[in-house]
Amino acid sequence: MLMQSACRHRRAQLLRALGHDCVAVIPTAAEQVRNKDTCFPFRPDSDFYYLTGFTEPEAVLVLVPGRSAGEVVLFCRENDDKAERWEGPRTGLVAAVTEYGVDQALPYHELDQHLPKLLSATGRLFYDLGTHAGFDQRVLQWVGQVRQSSRSQSALDLLALSTHLHAMRLHKDAAELAVMRRAAEISAAAQIELMRQCRPGMYEYQLAALFAYQCQSQGAQALAYPSIVAAGEHACVLHYVANNALIQKGDLVLVDAGCELDGYAADITRTFPVNGRFSEPQRQLYDIVLAAQEAAIAQVQVDQSWDAPHQAAVQVLAEGLLRLGLIQGSLNQVLQKKTYQRFFMHRTSHWLGLDVHDVGAYQVDQQPRRLTAGMVLTVEPGLYIPQGSKGVPPDWQGIGIRIEDDVIVRKKGPEVISSAVPKAVGEIEALMAT
Ligand code: GLY
Ligand code: MN
Ligand code: MN
């Protein structure tokens, strides 16, 4: 019911933002064939799910402000005894109204019948072209039908829904924050378990399997993205997903992994020594990344620029690299010429929510967006020094480190929802010693 009332509230907010004389069409994702007659596990489209909470395939939400027969219409699959015996229960049209709080539910197979009629009675269609390849064709067909049958060729304007909807998704409501805290908590517990169980001689995929097992056995339905378990120099590959190498004595292991709970992502990275103790060069680099991350988290404040955490991280990383002699010049030169990018080449933060790289504009009026309460972002600086890096002493080569936490922007300061996983050198070593 919490979900139903949250979705109802979001739909009402969106209806207000769209104004009158329009129709908004929000399809769920299409099922994707994996091979032959086997599909990938189905996951609803994030926009659709945000507004409905509905998780079955073949469904479309249609919003029609001011429509007397109902402003909120859900097209979904009808009950079907035979299909349900093979595939499991379907909500059906009656329960779609009672359980999901929509005004009207209509059969999915009648979509092509109803939509041209609804569209011919309006001047504006809100639909995000380019997101749903197959569905785009259907929408364009309806638009063509309407335009051909109306006297004016410009009778129907096509507008982006995402302008309104993604601005809403950027600010998480109480229901979303509660799920995200739990997703981070589950993922944090799984990360801790990996630190406990990691041993030289294990394969990266064994840690990946353990992470998935821990998350799913605590109720998460899926992973938010393919886990990155990167031992030794694999950690220098930012999106390493092969996860098939042996973890060797002396390696650092970078684990970037998070669960998906009720649609919401966690995204946590920890880097720890397989032996349970950091070597001196590993510790020196690690402490620079940790200091950068702490400086960045301190910048997650209401009214601060979303870019401030990145600037803070970059400054600390650059100072550290200069101190170790890994880059040369003055701090100003390094920051201006961005020579630190040789070892830190990605951004420090991204929005987090239903999508791991969540929606929401980073710039507003060509300026970095200001943070406001209820936004959620990651803070994830790193240093990556591949083998063979010219001019770098061998001690530093083959080390990749990233530390990533999930942070809610709050009036009283940053709330780090993934903080249960240790990240100070002493804390990690103490945990791994038990
Ligand atoms: N796990 C992907 C990222 O950190 O952005
Ligand atoms: Mn991330
Ligand atoms: Mn990550």
Side-chain angles (χ1 to χ4, degrees):
M1 275 305 144
L2 177 64
M3 186 72 183
Q4 189 192 118
S5 69
C7 290
R8 199 190 273 271
H9 182 77
R10 292 170 200 158
R11 292 191 299 260
Q13 194 183 339
L14 182 59
L15 280 163
R16 279 197 301 277
L18 297 182
H20 281 280
D21 188 28
C22 67
V23 172
V25 175
I26 306 115
T28 195
E31 287 187 285
Q32 302 291 330
V33 174
R34 182 180 184 276
N35 60 303
K36 202 162 184 284
D37 55 354
T38 302
C39 284
F40 284 103
F42 179 73
R43 182 190 183 275
D45 172 80
S46 296
D47 286 339
F48 173 86
Y49 178 77
Y50 176 76
L51 294 168
T52 61
F54 196 76
T55 55
E56 290 175 28
E58 296 195 312
V60 180
L61 177 68
V62 178
L63 301 177
V64 194
R67 177 171 172 262
S68 54
E71 295 183 308
V72 178
V73 186
L74 181 67
F75 286 85
C76 64
R77 300 190 302 197
E78 291 175 280
N79 288 117
D80 175 336
D81 284 346
K82 195 170 159 211
E84 289 179 50
R85 178 170 285 255
W86 283 86
E87 295 158 10
R90 296 178 174 183
T91 302
L93 303 182
V94 175
V97 172
T98 53
E99 287 176 21
Y100 292 86
V102 297
D103 297 327
Q104 190 179 21
L106 292 170
Y108 180 75
H109 67 83
E110 289 181 9
L111 201 56
D112 292 322
Q113 243 166 276
H114 290 276
L115 261 292
K117 279 187 218 149
L118 287 170
L119 293 179
S120 61
T122 184
R124 295 180 305 147
L125 166 61
F126 284 96
Y127 174 74
D128 287 325
L129 266 182
T131 311
H132 308 272
F135 200 80
D136 284 358
Q137 295 310 315
R138 274 172 101 169
V139 173
L140 292 175
Q141 211 162 13
W142 303 330
V143 171
Q145 269 173 264
V146 173
R147 285 191 176 159
Q148 274 162 21
S149 67
S150 72
R151 267 175 258 145
S152 158
Q153 285 298 301
S154 60
L156 186 61
D157 289 336
L158 186 54
L159 298 159
L161 181 70
S162 57
T163 321
H164 301 285
L165 191 50
H166 294 178
M168 285 170 58
R169 278 179 54 191
L170 181 53
H171 296 90
K172 275 69 181 173
D173 59 35
E176 294 181 285
L177 292 178
V179 178
M180 291 190 74
R181 286 190 184 98
R182 181 70 190 136
E185 198 175 272
I186 290 172
S187 309
Q191 287 265 4
I192 290 173
E193 204 47 39
L194 264 57
M195 285 186 189
R196 283 211 176 100
Q197 296 202 28
C198 184
R199 297 283 178 276
M202 287 176 83
Y203 281 88
E204 293 164 338
Y205 55 74
Q206 290 179 296
L207 288 188
L210 181 60
F211 187 84
Y213 168 76
Q214 289 292 328
C215 290
Q216 293 195 277
S217 57
Q218 290 182 84
Q221 296 85 359
L223 297 178
Y225 54 93
S227 299
I228 297 168
V229 180
E233 80 157 336
H234 295 140
C236 298
V237 178
L238 300 180
H239 284 172
Y240 176 80
V241 286
N243 296 352
N244 57 4
L246 193 65
I247 304 172
Q248 314 212 32
K249 196 163 160 257
D251 280 348
L252 283 182
V253 184
L254 181 155
V255 178
D256 181 343
C259 76
E260 182 177 281
L261 178 69
D262 298 343
Y264 287 82
D267 181 9
I268 306 178
T269 307
R270 288 294 185 266
T271 309
F272 54 88
V274 61
N275 319 0
R277 292 196 70 90
F278 287 82
S279 71
E280 193 49 27
Q282 288 170 347
R283 190 190 59 74
Q284 284 182 303
L285 283 177
Y286 186 92
D287 277 342
I288 294 170
V289 179
L290 182 59
Q293 205 231 12
E294 283 169 346
I297 289 174
Q299 296 299 315
V300 179
Q301 303 289 347
V302 166
D303 284 338
Q304 184 59 277
S305 155
W306 90 275
D307 194 43
H310 181 63
Q311 296 310 330
V314 158
Q315 164 127 7
V316 175
L317 292 173
E319 284 167 355
L321 289 169
L322 281 168
R323 203 167 54 243
L324 296 184
L326 289 171
I327 48 174
Q328 281 75 40
S330 69
L331 181 61
N332 267 346
Q333 281 168 339
V334 168
L335 293 176
Q336 260 176 17
K337 294 192 181 149
K338 303 192 176 181
T339 48
Y340 59 82
Q341 284 185 340
R342 183 177 177 203
F343 303 119
F344 176 51
M345 59 297 286
H346 58 79
R347 301 282 316 179
T348 301
S349 299
H350 56 78
W351 308 130
L352 185 69
L354 285 167
D355 296 312
V356 63
H357 297 153
D358 207 28
V359 295
Y362 289 98
Q363 301 276 116
V364 179
D365 299 330
Q366 278 137 35
Q367 295 297 321
R369 184 185 277 281
R370 300 267 144 200
L371 297 175
T372 55
M375 292 178 177
V376 185
L377 67 162
T378 65
V379 179
E380 49 177 309
L383 284 176
Y384 313 93
I385 308 180
Q387 290 288 2
S389 297
K390 281 212 180 75
V392 174
D395 267 2
W396 308 113
Q397 292 189 24
I399 297 181
I401 296 165
R402 179 163 62 254
I403 307 172
E404 175 174 29
D405 278 306
D406 303 341
V407 186
I408 301 177
V409 183
R410 300 195 59 187
K411 278 201 199 106
K412 61 182 184 187
E415 178 186 343
V416 183
I417 57 178
S418 48
S419 64
V421 208
K423 59 184 176 183
V425 164
E427 291 168 357
I428 292 177
E429 289 184 346
L431 174 80
M432 294 185 74
T434 58

